[in-house]
Amino acid sequence: MKKLTLLAFLGLSATAFSQNIKSEPDNGKQKTALLVPADHAELEAKKKAAEEKAKLPKPYNPKADAQADINKLVAQAKKEGKNIMIQAGGNWCIWCLRFNNFVQTTPELKELVDKNYVYYHLNYSPDNKNEKVFTQYGNPGEKFGYPVFIVLDKDGKLIKVQQSDVLEEGKGYSKEKVKEFFTTWTPKKG
């Protein structure tokens, strides 16, 4: 009980002291400085992320007519008997770029995708939010963030929306989880 009383007294004293200091007029007598502690680890992480982002391919095209592109993909998917994998995001999104690069540079995943899907990078950015296209799929980016995956069957019918965080592992993606995701939504044969 003594400790609790002491803590309460110290807390109230600190509050009163801080209010007292703020209420005294400065009149230019005191020198004040804004102290912003530099979190070097955070700054270094941001720098490394920016360097990584600069090196990765930029698959999103803000100028593309996404609906026209998707319509062409539906025709292609029908012809080839594949599903459509839409990776929604933007070139501003490090996780979007990481996923694209991961799939493109992991032979087993690239082969799985190329065999079963026509793939599209649906842009979401200040330049082009593709609002009409996203609306027809329930605005999954608003719910899950980016990247988000929209899987359509060969007829263009929505069959799955997948958030990406469940596919992550560390600062990248899990090969096993991504492979399972792609395998689960391959076109049904027969």
Side-chain angles (χ1 to χ4, degrees):
M1 185 68 175
K2 287 181 183 179
K3 287 183 182 178
L4 186 59
T5 306
L6 181 60
L7 285 173
F9 175 75
L10 289 173
L12 289 171
S13 297
T15 304
F17 179 76
S18 67
Q19 290 175 349
N20 201 12
I21 295 255
K22 290 178 186 170
S23 64
E24 291 178 9
D26 183 350
N27 297 331
K29 294 178 187 170
Q30 295 177 337
K31 298 285 183 199
T32 57
L34 176 63
L35 297 177
V36 179
D39 184 347
H40 294 290
E42 185 179 332
L43 291 173
E44 191 62 30
K46 286 183 179 181
K47 180 181 172 187
K48 283 184 179 181
E51 289 171 356
E52 178 186 3
K53 192 187 295 185
K55 292 177 186 174
L56 292 171
K58 310 296 186 283
Y60 296 91
N61 181 359
K63 294 179 179 151
D65 180 342
Q67 190 59 63
D69 289 348
I70 292 170
N71 292 344
K72 288 177 191 170
L73 290 175
V74 170
Q76 180 184 348
K78 254 184 214 184
K79 183 178 169 185
E80 297 177 10
K82 296 180 178 181
N83 282 346
I84 301 158
M85 180 66 65
I86 299 174
Q87 179 182 328
N91 294 328
W92 52 268
C93 166
I94 187 73
W95 284 96
C96 301
L97 301 180
R98 283 177 180 159
F99 189 87
N100 176 67
N101 191 61
F102 180 65
V103 171
Q104 294 301 312
T105 60
T106 306
E108 188 177 354
L109 296 177
K110 182 165 178 24
E111 182 182 328
L112 182 60
V113 166
D114 290 348
K115 181 180 175 186
N116 295 289
Y117 299 96
V118 288
Y119 208 96
Y120 186 69
H121 290 89
L122 175 58
N123 184 74
Y124 177 85
S125 68
D127 296 340
N128 186 354
K129 295 181 180 180
N130 281 307
E131 291 169 313
K132 287 182 181 178
V133 176
F134 277 103
T135 298
Q136 68 187 341
Y137 303 122
N139 293 311
E142 289 178 10
K143 295 174 190 164
F144 303 120
Y146 296 98
V148 64
F149 304 95
I150 303 164
V151 186
L152 309 177
D153 69 10
K154 66 180 176 15
D155 297 314
K157 181 181 164 224
L158 176 67
I159 55 175
K160 176 69 176 170
V161 172
Q162 176 67 55
Q163 62 200 68
S164 63
D165 62 341
V166 298
L167 305 174
E168 294 173 8
E169 186 174 83
K171 293 281 184 200
Y173 290 93
S174 162
K175 180 179 169 186
E176 291 75 29
K177 291 176 185 177
V178 172
K179 182 180 176 184
E180 181 181 345
F181 166 62
F182 284 144
T183 302
T184 300
W185 299 104
T186 58
K188 304 300 176 223
K189 304 292 181 195

